[in-house]
mmCIF file with all atom_site columns, all heavy atoms in Angstrom:
data_model
loop_
_atom_site.group_PDB
_atom_site.id
_atom_site.type_symbol
_atom_site.label_atom_id
_atom_site.label_alt_id
_atom_site.label_comp_id
_atom_site.label_asym_id
_atom_site.label_entity_id
_atom_site.label_seq_id
_atom_site.pdbx_PDB_ins_code
_atom_site.Cartn_x
_atom_site.Cartn_y
_atom_site.Cartn_z
_atom_site.occupancy
_atom_site.B_iso_or_equiv
_atom_site.pdbx_formal_charge
_atom_site.auth_seq_id
_atom_site.auth_comp_id
_atom_site.auth_asym_id
_atom_site.auth_atom_id
_atom_site.pdbx_PDB_model_num
ATOM   1  N  N   . GLU Z 1 7  ? 0.139  -203.746 104.361 1.00 97.00 ? 7  GLU Z N   1
ATOM   2  C  CA  . GLU Z 1 7  ? 0.209  -203.566 105.825 1.00 97.00 ? 7  GLU Z CA  1
ATOM   3  C  C   . GLU Z 1 7  ? -1.127 -203.974 106.424 1.00 97.00 ? 7  GLU Z C   1
ATOM   4  O  O   . GLU Z 1 7  ? -2.178 -203.473 106.032 1.00 97.00 ? 7  GLU Z O   1
ATOM   5  C  CB  . GLU Z 1 7  ? 0.516  -202.086 106.129 1.00 97.00 ? 7  GLU Z CB  1
ATOM   6  C  CG  . GLU Z 1 7  ? 0.398  -201.667 107.581 1.00 97.00 ? 7  GLU Z CG  1
ATOM   7  C  CD  . GLU Z 1 7  ? 1.335  -202.418 108.516 1.00 97.00 ? 7  GLU Z CD  1
ATOM   8  O  OE1 . GLU Z 1 7  ? 2.546  -202.119 108.505 1.00 97.00 ? 7  GLU Z OE1 1
ATOM   9  O  OE2 . GLU Z 1 7  ? 0.850  -203.314 109.226 1.00 97.00 ? 7  GLU Z OE2 1
ATOM   10 N  N   . ASP Z 1 8  ? -1.101 -204.939 107.354 1.00 96.00 ? 8  ASP Z N   1
ATOM   11 C  CA  . ASP Z 1 8  ? -2.348 -205.454 107.925 1.00 96.00 ? 8  ASP Z CA  1
ATOM   12 C  C   . ASP Z 1 8  ? -2.799 -204.690 109.168 1.00 96.00 ? 8  ASP Z C   1
ATOM   13 O  O   . ASP Z 1 8  ? -3.943 -204.831 109.586 1.00 96.00 ? 8  ASP Z O   1
ATOM   14 C  CB  . ASP Z 1 8  ? -2.196 -206.935 108.276 1.00 96.00 ? 8  ASP Z CB  1
ATOM   15 C  CG  . ASP Z 1 8  ? -1.113 -207.159 109.311 1.00 96.00 ? 8  ASP Z CG  1
ATOM   16 O  OD1 . ASP Z 1 8  ? 0.026  -206.710 109.065 1.00 96.00 ? 8  ASP Z OD1 1
ATOM   17 O  OD2 . ASP Z 1 8  ? -1.402 -207.747 110.362 1.00 96.00 ? 8  ASP Z OD2 1
ATOM   18 N  N   . ASP Z 1 51 ? 4.903  -204.595 104.953 1.00 94.00 ? 51 ASP Z N   1
ATOM   19 C  CA  . ASP Z 1 51 ? 5.118  -205.033 106.324 1.00 94.00 ? 51 ASP Z CA  1
ATOM   20 C  C   . ASP Z 1 51 ? 5.568  -206.486 106.278 1.00 94.00 ? 51 ASP Z C   1
ATOM   21 O  O   . ASP Z 1 51 ? 5.067  -207.274 105.491 1.00 94.00 ? 51 ASP Z O   1
ATOM   22 C  CB  . ASP Z 1 51 ? 3.805  -204.895 107.104 1.00 94.00 ? 51 ASP Z CB  1
ATOM   23 C  CG  . ASP Z 1 51 ? 3.933  -205.368 108.537 1.00 94.00 ? 51 ASP Z CG  1
ATOM   24 O  OD1 . ASP Z 1 51 ? 4.981  -205.095 109.155 1.00 94.00 ? 51 ASP Z OD1 1
ATOM   25 O  OD2 . ASP Z 1 51 ? 2.989  -205.996 109.029 1.00 94.00 ? 51 ASP Z OD2 1
ATOM   26 N  N   . GLY Z 1 53 ? 5.395  -208.931 108.750 1.00 91.00 ? 53 GLY Z N   1
ATOM   27 C  CA  . GLY Z 1 53 ? 4.491  -209.895 109.369 1.00 91.00 ? 53 GLY Z CA  1
ATOM   28 C  C   . GLY Z 1 53 ? 3.056  -209.695 108.915 1.00 91.00 ? 53 GLY Z C   1
ATOM   29 O  O   . GLY Z 1 53 ? 2.393  -208.747 109.318 1.00 91.00 ? 53 GLY Z O   1
HETATM 30 CA CA1 . CA  E 2 .  ? 1.800  -206.862 110.553 1.00 67.11 ? 1  CA  E CA1 1
#
Side-chain angles (χ1 to χ4, degrees):
E7 170 60 75
D8 61 305
D51 178 40

